[in-house]
Amino acid sequence: MRELHDLLGRLADGEPPSERLKEILAADPAARRAYREYLNLHVALKSYGAIPELAAPRAFPWRPLLGTAAAAAVLLALLFAPSAPELARLTKAASARWGQGRPSLRAGSDVHLVFGYAELTLSNRVRLVLEAPVRLRLESERRVRLESGRVVADVPPDARGFTIDTPPARVVDLGTEFGVGVGEDGRTDVQVFRGEVVAEWKGARERIEAGQAMRMDAAAAPRGIEFQSDRFTRLFPTDDDGGQPAGPQYNLPRLDAAAVLPAPAGMAIDGDLSDWNRSAAFVGACRPPFHESHALEGLLMYDERFLYVAAHVRDPAPMRSASPQQPWRGGAVILRLGPPGWPLEAKGPPLADAKHPEIGRRPVDVDDRITHLTFWYHPPTAAPRLHLSYGMDFHGEVAEPAGWTGVFRARSDGLGYTLEYRVPWSLLHTEARPPRAGDVLPSTWTVHWSDHEGTLSRGHLVEITNLDELPFRFLRGRCWGKAIFR
């Protein structure tokens, strides 16, 4: 409110209405009501010949009132003039957080997406996919200016000529789908998925066709770079699952149990699953159109000393985790197991309070046999990692326990990975009585996917759940499915 009063004072001093004042009035009904009351009061005072300045109420620090009836009329016209139509609509969002609240999408508006993903559809049906962090300005339905971040534009034929300006360059559509990325130094990457574009840089013009990519900056001539299918986000799921803390859930679970088979002697942990009994494999996949690019095949085996875990994961940005403190953000597989007996009658505190075990906890919730195993790959050291925690309060966290062996192996096409681990029962606090044939342990699997930087959780898949307990919440034990030891 203080900013509004300041802008009103500037207007009273004879300045023209500012764009910021227009934005505030367009976005905030309470601000419009306050201005209307203020102007009505001032116009009434002027009509009775009142002096132009009044003592301000103690709780309402007004600047001097408008000095002339003409200035009041200008502001009244601004207030009651029809709002400019929106240039775009927010048509999709995934974990989206905005820099200054959800932005106005009128011509001239600045859009700042600080986290997550968003899709804007312009009035001419141009679709813009934003991957945070992004700063851009909506100039018109034919043009936007990208200051930083990554945007993919899908342009229909009748909007041919749509343009994205960046600090060093201009990219003009010729009927296509293309991505534009601007780094902190202004460097601009352009990649074309369909059709072609013209990139303009310091008076030069370069045509870029489907399957090609180019880099431009202020200090060097444009140059071709390798086309990378995962350089830009083109599709993402929406926030239609009730709001998951680690990004939206991509799938609806279909399976309530996974079989755990006896392991053959001499198992080699090498990322080659040819020695696994694949008859017990289960498959989970995300909702279309992500079912081919985001999927899981999971396998479990056991012997008296070890639990064996393996998975094939389809992932467009595999093995890139850059967040050791929260490895799931960068892509990971999480297996959860509980003590024998099903369902698991354990319930953790609300997720925001999960680090405060004194909140709403029952003794069963801290059972050390409730284990959360996070399998992930650490690119800086080119090494597999294992993170463990226990109970529904996540106590006893340990990042690198002793005694396990693991391997990650990337797919040859760069679109996924295989993991294989051997974990001693002692790490699951069941060495005194390891699981045996006939046991049923509560269990569930989660796969996380990340952005290509390995820092932002794009979303996740959950499989092996109690299909009678919806929606799935991993801190509610009754939601977990079964691991059945054969």
Side-chain angles (χ1 to χ4, degrees):
M1 192 65 75
R2 184 181 298 275
E3 182 183 13
L4 299 183
H5 303 154
D6 183 64
L7 292 171
L8 179 58
R10 294 180 188 178
L11 190 65
D13 293 337
E15 296 183 14
S18 67
E19 290 299 320
R20 178 57 182 157
L21 180 58
K22 295 177 183 179
E23 291 177 4
I24 293 173
L25 294 174
D28 189 349
R32 291 197 294 272
R33 286 194 299 272
Y35 273 122
R36 188 177 298 114
E37 293 170 1
Y38 181 53
L39 289 173
N40 286 342
L41 173 63
H42 181 64
V43 172
L45 290 172
K46 293 298 293 183
S47 68
Y48 284 96
I51 59 174
E53 294 191 11
L54 297 175
R58 180 174 301 174
F60 208 58
W62 294 108
R63 288 279 303 270
L65 296 178
L66 293 178
T68 67
V74 170
L75 189 53
L76 282 171
L78 175 62
L79 283 170
F80 296 107
S83 297
E86 287 200 334
L87 187 68
R89 294 179 295 112
L90 178 64
T91 45
K92 285 186 180 181
S95 304
R97 293 207 298 267
W98 306 95
Q100 295 180 334
R102 182 165 167 173
S104 164
L105 297 178
R106 294 176 172 82
S109 296
D110 292 318
V111 178
H112 182 198
L113 182 67
V114 298
F115 186 89
Y117 302 85
E119 177 187 281
L120 305 181
T121 301
L122 303 184
S123 53
N124 58 355
R125 297 187 297 113
V126 171
R127 184 175 65 90
L128 301 177
V129 176
L130 284 59
E131 179 180 355
V134 172
R135 288 183 180 271
L136 62 81
R137 174 176 284 264
L138 299 174
E139 303 284 3
S140 71
E141 68 173 12
R142 306 284 296 178
R143 183 185 302 273
V144 301
R145 180 173 179 82
L146 179 62
E147 297 293 344
S148 63
R150 287 186 290 271
V151 173
V152 169
D154 190 354
V155 183
D158 56 358
R160 179 186 173 98
F162 177 78
T163 300
I164 296 181
D165 290 325
T166 76
R170 170 170 293 172
V171 183
V172 181
D173 153 75
L174 298 179
T176 186
E177 181 188 13
F178 64 98
V180 179
V182 178
E184 292 183 358
D185 58 356
R187 183 187 68 190
T188 296
D189 290 344
V190 181
Q191 180 165 292
V192 180
F193 299 99
R194 291 184 290 106
E196 56 185 328
V197 302
V198 170
E200 302 176 357
W201 176 88
K202 291 187 175 181
R205 293 168 58 90
E206 294 282 349
R207 188 179 291 260
I208 309 173
E209 300 179 346
Q212 295 180 339
M214 181 170 289
R215 176 164 293 165
M216 294 164 281
D217 58 42
R223 61 190 184 278
I225 57 175
E226 179 185 3
F227 182 97
Q228 295 179 358
S229 60
D230 63 343
R231 178 173 280 128
F232 295 92
T233 296
R234 302 166 66 188
L235 293 170
F236 61 90
T238 57
D239 285 329
D240 59 1
D241 66 330
Q244 294 289 331
Q249 185 175 320
Y250 281 20
N251 73 312
L252 296 175
R254 299 181 300 108
L255 305 173
D256 62 359
V260 191
L261 301 183
M267 284 285 295
I269 305 302
D270 54 9
D272 179 0
L273 305 188
S274 60
D275 51 352
W276 281 69
N277 184 339
R278 303 289 286 277
S279 66
F282 70 88
V283 175
C286 297
R287 294 187 294 261
F290 311 100
H291 57 292
E292 294 184 355
S293 58
H294 298 72
L296 161 73
E297 180 188 30
L299 290 155
L300 292 172
M301 293 197 300
Y302 74 103
D303 60 26
E304 291 184 354
R305 296 181 57 201
F306 298 102
L307 172 69
Y308 299 84
V309 183
H312 291 303
V313 178
R314 294 278 293 182
D315 187 343
M319 299 166 57
R320 301 194 182 190
S321 183
S323 304
Q325 287 73 35
Q326 294 179 308
W328 50 267
R329 285 190 179 276
V333 174
I334 302 177
L335 171 65
R336 307 183 197 277
L337 288 169
W342 187 89
L344 176 61
E345 296 292 348
K347 186 176 181 180
L351 191 65
D353 298 320
K355 298 299 183 181
H356 302 279
E358 70 277 6
I359 300 177
R361 192 180 71 188
R362 295 174 296 168
V364 69
D365 297 338
V366 297
D367 191 323
D368 281 343
R369 294 171 298 171
I370 298 175
T371 310
H372 312 270
L373 302 97
T374 301
F375 307 99
W376 62 288
Y377 183 81
H378 188 232
T381 58
R385 296 293 181 89
L386 175 64
H387 179 279
L388 294 176
S389 60
Y390 302 94
M392 288 301 195
D393 60 343
F394 306 104
H395 69 271
E397 288 187 72
V398 56
E400 290 301 316
W404 63 274
T405 303
V407 171
F408 270 77
R409 176 182 289 185
R411 285 173 54 108
S412 59
D413 60 7
L415 297 177
Y417 57 88
T418 297
L419 66 82
E420 185 178 21
Y421 277 70
R422 180 174 60 213
V423 181
W425 289 117
S426 59
L427 291 179
L428 281 68
H429 299 152
T430 56
E431 68 274 23
R433 197 276 192 189
R436 61 190 64 164
D439 282 351
V440 177
L441 273 59
S443 180
T444 189
W445 291 63
T446 303
V447 180
H448 285 279
W449 286 274
S450 77
D451 64 350
H452 71 279
E453 301 292 343
T455 58
L456 177 68
S457 179
R458 178 175 290 177
H460 62 282
L461 168 151
V462 173
E463 196 52 89
I464 312 300
T465 70
N466 183 349
L467 301 179
D468 293 329
E469 292 284 339
L470 295 174
F472 177 86
R473 293 291 183 267
F474 73 87
L475 282 172
R476 193 170 74 223
R478 291 188 66 88
C479 291
W480 294 17
K482 307 172 185 176
I484 303 174
F485 285 72
R486 303 297 189 188

